[in-house]
């Protein structure tokens, strides 16, 4: 073999050694990044955020509000704990078990959080609640609290955050699966949701309400009169746009049913829907696109804010003249 050929073979062999060495080094660096929590933040899901909120409550209950003590005991960085609490850090089940052990989490909640950990990367979430929805829709409220824009469409009843106490009572007492001893607690939980409008920076709400909702005599004339006047008072708030879908248009884009479309500053939007015994969160890109189209179509179809107020006021007088005021 001549000197030139030998030189080429040496060059190829040396390059291969460098490539293998480089790959090995990069693999070690990647492993270290993963071990020390330095991997890039992954996109959160409804479940990973629910896990984060659950861990935040666990810390508060254990009196470890900052997470510094847990980070010290687990030899994690404080940023690892912070990102885990926002759902932005992937969590291994073994690490979560250690975390829960330090916080002395009991069996039922421990099992719930470990199940969330296993499914944290799955988009969307179908939640089943047995014979009835819980008193407080924790996952929904956590997302509503963080939303900056909310588009809500209701086809049969007013959104819970717009309901008066008497309207809420008339609705809840007719839910056959709710025991009588739960009614007052459920009414209180529903009315508490309206506190979101009183925040210094509330989300920007658009409520699309079908005219049928305004005409359905829930609780009778007196209850509906007060409810419609409450809508008129709420409709003048700067953070609320209340728009009515008139009955005379017939078919419209949201015939599939009621939904809430929530948008956030740092995560993808979420669509929420509920039934008698379950609720569902949608967050896949094609689902988001589909509901954006529906919201846009409703905005084209609905009466504007002034027209909507006129209709609400007219119905309050024509259908629900309060005999106490006559």
């Amino acid at each position: 073999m001549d000197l030139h050929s030998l030189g080429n073979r040496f060059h190829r062999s040396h390059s291969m050694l460098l490539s293998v060495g480089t790959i090995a080094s990069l693999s070690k660096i990647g492993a270290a990044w993963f071990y020390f929590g330095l991997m890039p933040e992954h996109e959160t899901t409804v479940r990973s955020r629910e896990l984060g909120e659950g861990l935040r409550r666990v810390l508060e209950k254990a009196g470890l509000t900052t997470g510094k003590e847990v980070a010290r005991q687990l030899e994690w960085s404080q940023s690892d704990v912070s990102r885990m609490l926002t759902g932005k850090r992937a969590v291994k089940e073994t690490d979560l078990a250690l975390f829960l052990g330090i916080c002395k989490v009991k069996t039922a909640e421990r099992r719930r959080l470990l199940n969330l950990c296993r499914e944290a990367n799955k988009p969307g979430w179908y939640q089943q609640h047995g014979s009835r929805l819980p008193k407080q829709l924790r996952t929904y409220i956590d997302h509503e609290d963080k939303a900056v824009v909310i588009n809500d469409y209701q086809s049969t009843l007013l959104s819970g955050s717009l309901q008066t106490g008497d309207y809420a009572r008339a609705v809840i007492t007719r839910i056959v699966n709710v025991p009588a001893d739960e009614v007052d607690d459920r009414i209180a939980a529903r009315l508490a949701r309206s506190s979101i409008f009183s925040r210094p920076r509330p989300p920007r709400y658009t409520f699309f309400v079908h005219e049928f909702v305004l005409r359905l005599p829930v609780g009778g004339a007196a209850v509906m009169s007060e409810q419609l006047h409450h809508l008129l008072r709420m409709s003048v708030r700067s953070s609320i746009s209340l728009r009515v879908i008139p009955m005379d248009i017939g078919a419209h884009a949201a015939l599939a049913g009621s939904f809430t479309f929530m948008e956030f500053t740092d995560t993808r939007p979420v669509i929420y829907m509920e039934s008698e015994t379950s609720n569902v969160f949608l967050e896949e890109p094609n689902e988001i696109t589909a509901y954006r189209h529906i919201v846009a179509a409703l905005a084209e179809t609905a009466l504007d804010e002034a027209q909507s107020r006129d209709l609400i006021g007219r119905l309050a007088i024509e259908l629900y003249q309060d005999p106490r005021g006559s």
Side-chain angles (χ1 to χ4, degrees):
M1 180 181 295
D2 60 25
L3 187 60
H4 179 71
S5 299
L6 184 62
N8 284 340
R9 177 180 290 184
F10 175 79
H11 177 73
R12 288 194 300 272
S13 300
H14 186 60
S15 298
M16 186 177 296
L17 286 172
L18 284 175
S19 299
V20 171
T22 301
I23 291 169
S25 298
L26 290 173
S27 297
K28 289 178 182 178
I29 291 170
W33 281 1
F34 181 82
Y35 182 81
F36 291 108
L38 299 175
M39 293 296 284
E41 293 182 349
H42 71 289
E43 188 168 16
T44 63
T45 65
V46 171
R47 298 179 211 231
S48 71
R49 293 191 292 274
E50 172 83 355
L51 175 59
E53 289 294 335
L55 296 180
R56 193 183 301 278
R57 292 188 184 96
V58 160
L59 284 175
E60 291 174 356
K61 190 172 182 179
L64 305 170
T65 52
T66 64
K68 289 182 179 178
E69 179 60 23
V70 174
R72 186 188 67 79
Q73 292 191 45
L74 292 175
E75 298 183 349
W76 293 356
S77 70
Q78 181 65 34
S79 64
D80 281 347
V81 176
S82 296
R83 287 184 292 126
M84 187 169 66
L85 297 180
T86 59
K88 294 180 179 178
R89 179 182 184 270
V91 185
K92 293 188 292 185
E93 193 173 337
T94 51
D95 288 344
L96 180 59
L98 290 172
F99 183 101
L100 298 176
I102 290 172
C103 296
K104 297 181 173 57
V105 179
K106 294 183 178 179
T107 305
E109 182 65 0
R110 178 186 180 88
R111 185 164 53 247
R112 186 183 81 88
L113 293 173
L114 286 171
N115 285 337
L116 278 173
C117 179
R118 297 183 194 109
E119 300 181 343
N121 292 326
K122 290 184 179 179
W125 197 3
Y126 173 56
Q127 297 180 323
Q128 295 173 287
H129 300 287
S131 64
R132 58 188 180 273
L133 293 176
K135 295 178 186 177
Q136 293 199 12
L137 300 167
R138 181 167 61 184
T139 309
Y140 172 77
I141 292 170
D142 286 342
H143 281 79
E144 185 182 50
D145 285 345
K146 295 178 176 64
V148 293
V149 176
I150 299 178
N151 287 281
D152 181 274
Y153 168 71
Q154 297 298 322
S155 59
T156 56
L157 293 170
L158 288 167
S159 177
S161 55
L162 289 178
Q163 293 179 11
T164 64
D166 288 339
Y167 185 98
R169 182 174 295 278
V171 170
I172 293 171
T173 53
R174 289 291 186 172
I175 301 175
V176 296
N177 293 311
V178 172
D181 60 359
E182 286 188 10
V183 170
D184 287 342
D185 287 345
R186 287 176 178 268
I187 292 170
R190 186 163 297 186
L191 295 181
R193 287 171 56 184
S194 65
S195 64
I196 195 169
F197 302 127
S198 301
R199 294 179 184 172
R201 297 181 65 182
R204 189 156 44 86
Y205 260 105
T206 299
F207 291 99
F208 294 103
V209 180
H210 197 279
E211 184 180 341
F212 169 81
V213 176
L214 307 176
R215 291 180 173 274
L216 185 67
V218 174
V223 170
M224 285 302 296
S225 176
E226 173 56 28
Q227 178 63 75
L228 295 195
H229 282 89
H230 178 67
L231 291 182
L232 291 174
R233 291 190 292 270
M234 297 298 291
S235 71
V236 298
R237 295 195 176 207
S238 60
S239 62
I240 294 177
S241 175
L242 180 58
R243 301 184 61 189
V244 177
I245 309 295
M247 290 181 66
D248 59 13
I249 68 163
H252 57 85
L255 286 177
S258 303
F259 66 89
T260 304
F261 189 112
M262 296 176 278
E263 298 185 64
F264 312 90
T265 55
D266 57 354
T267 59
R268 67 173 61 173
V270 171
I271 301 100
Y272 171 80
M273 292 172 283
E274 67 181 48
S275 68
E276 181 77 10
T277 61
S278 62
N279 49 36
V280 63
F281 294 86
L282 306 177
E283 56 182 337
E284 291 275 26
N286 59 341
E287 295 166 335
I288 294 168
T289 299
Y291 276 86
R292 281 197 192 282
H293 291 160
I294 293 173
V295 170
L298 288 177
E300 289 290 326
T301 301
L303 301 177
D304 64 28
E305 293 177 13
Q307 292 169 331
S308 296
R309 279 193 287 270
D310 287 345
L311 177 58
I312 293 169
R314 188 167 69 252
L315 292 177
I317 295 170
E318 293 176 0
L319 301 179
Y320 308 118
Q321 184 69 51
D322 189 347
R324 293 174 298 184
S326 57

